[in-house]
């Protein structure tokens, strides 16, 4: 597949990044080769497939291909007993891969707890403990709010405003926020919060929202243009706030994952050009 076949020029794709989770069953070497063939400049990586392929091998593979690693997902889950050691490892991995941002999914309520306020305080305290290590490694911690339906088990930080309340305690070069269309599109304050975020926007991720949501809801995403989110409006808002960084297409969908990886990449590029760029 070439850039021309996907319908975009190198300039149109200069901010495009393909998050490898979008083609979950595509082995890392094939994802990298597909991105290079398509003229895609960036890739978002996940720790699990990187570990499977090998950290050093993954770093060399991406570097030799000339791709920029736009983010590493994920750290966080601060309700886990081993959160500190695991996040320190994640910071080291991000640095080794050349990923400027480590995406943090804060984790849900501790087992047996109903104290959501306390859980959010623990998130802020944990990030405060990690921030000096991230700064020393040259990695920015990027707090990602998740849709409120995930608050109990995955992420007590449920709005961009809540993420900023934590991030604003730190240097914006050390702690920022993720604007993920899937998680923030519904929020009537999101555009004001994006303007508030300004230089704290560390990553911008896009996909689409489709209904009915599948059982378990986690895989209720679609490629850009296949759902109801005003993706271009969100992109224009982050641009107006001063964000000029990569735009990652990140989709969790059993239907998308069942398709060949190269076909998914082509569709992601087409949806990005038509509905985001």
């Amino acid at each position: 597949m070439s850039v021309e076949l996907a319908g975009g020029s190198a300039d149109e794709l200069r901010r495009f990044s393909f998050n490898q989770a979008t083609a979950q069953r595509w082995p890392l070497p094939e994802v990298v080769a597909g991105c290079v063939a398509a003229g895609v400049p960036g890739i978002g990586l996940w720790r699990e497939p990187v570990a499977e392929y090998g950290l050093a091998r993954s770093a060399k593979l991406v570097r030799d291909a000339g791709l920029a690693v736009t983010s590493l997902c994920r750290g966080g889950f601060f309700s886990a007993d081993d959160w500190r050691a695991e996040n320190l490892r994640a910071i080291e991995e991000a640095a080794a891969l050349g990923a400027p941002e480590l995406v943090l999914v804060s984790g849900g309520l501790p087992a047996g707890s109903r104290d959501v306020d306390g859980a959010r305080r623990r998130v802020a305290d944990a990030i405060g403990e990690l921030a000096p290590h991230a700064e020393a490694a040259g990695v920015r911690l990027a707090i990602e709010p998740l849709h409120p339906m995930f608050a109990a088990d995955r992420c007590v930080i449920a709005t961009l405003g809540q993420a900023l309340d934590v991030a604003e305690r730190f240097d914006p070069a050390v702690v920022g926020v993720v604007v993920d269309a899937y998680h923030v599109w519904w929020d009537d304050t999101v555009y004001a919060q994006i303007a508030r975020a300004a230089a704290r926007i560390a990553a911008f991720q896009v996909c689409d929202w489709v209904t009915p949501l599948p059982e378990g809801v986690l895989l209720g995403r679609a490629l850009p243009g296949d759902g109801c989110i005003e993706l271009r409006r969100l992109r224009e808002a982050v641009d107006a706030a001063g964000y000029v960084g990569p735009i990652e297409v990140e989709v969790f969908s059993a239907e998308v994952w069942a398709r060949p990886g190269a076909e998914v990449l082509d569709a992601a590029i087409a949806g990005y050009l038509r509905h985001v760029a």
Side-chain angles (χ1 to χ4, degrees), residues 31-92:
V31 177
V32 168
C35 287
V36 171
V40 169
I43 186 170
L45 297 176
W46 279 67
R47 295 181 65 204
E48 293 82 0
V50 164
E52 182 179 345
Y53 190 70
L55 177 61
R57 289 179 70 205
S58 298
K60 185 177 187 303
L61 175 71
V62 176
R63 183 174 61 249
D64 290 352
L67 293 178
V69 179
T70 53
S71 70
L72 178 65
C73 199
R74 64 197 173 195
F77 286 89
F78 299 118
S79 56
D81 291 339
D82 63 345
W83 70 265
R84 187 178 187 278
E86 191 62 30
N87 278 277
L88 291 177
R89 279 194 293 271
I91 290 168
E92 292 175 358

Side-chain angles (χ1 to χ4, degrees), residues 165-218:
D165 288 344
V166 176
E168 285 174 349
R169 307 178 191 191
F170 306 96
D171 185 329
V174 179
V175 179
V177 296
V178 180
V179 178
D180 184 323
Y182 184 77
H183 295 300
V184 304
W185 72 273
W186 58 274
D187 185 351
D188 65 343
T189 72
V190 68
Y191 294 102
Q193 297 299 335
I194 287 172
R196 170 190 170 192
R200 294 187 182 276
I201 300 174
F204 178 44
Q205 297 178 328
V206 296
C207 66
D208 226 324
W209 180 286
V210 291
T211 53
L213 291 173
E215 183 178 356
V217 304
L218 184 63

Side-chain angles (χ1 to χ4, degrees), residues 69-137:
V69 179
T70 53
S71 70
L72 178 65
C73 199
R74 64 197 173 195
F77 286 89
F78 299 118
S79 56
D81 291 339
D82 63 345
W83 70 265
R84 187 178 187 278
E86 191 62 30
N87 278 277
L88 291 177
R89 279 194 293 271
I91 290 168
E92 292 175 358
E93 292 164 14
L97 292 164
E101 325 288 351
L102 174 65
V103 175
L104 300 181
V105 175
S106 68
L109 293 170
S113 173
R114 294 180 173 85
D115 184 6
V116 67
D117 293 333
R120 289 181 179 134
R121 286 193 295 270
R122 282 190 290 275
V123 170
D125 291 344
I127 291 173
E129 189 168 339
L130 294 174
H133 299 278
E135 183 176 17

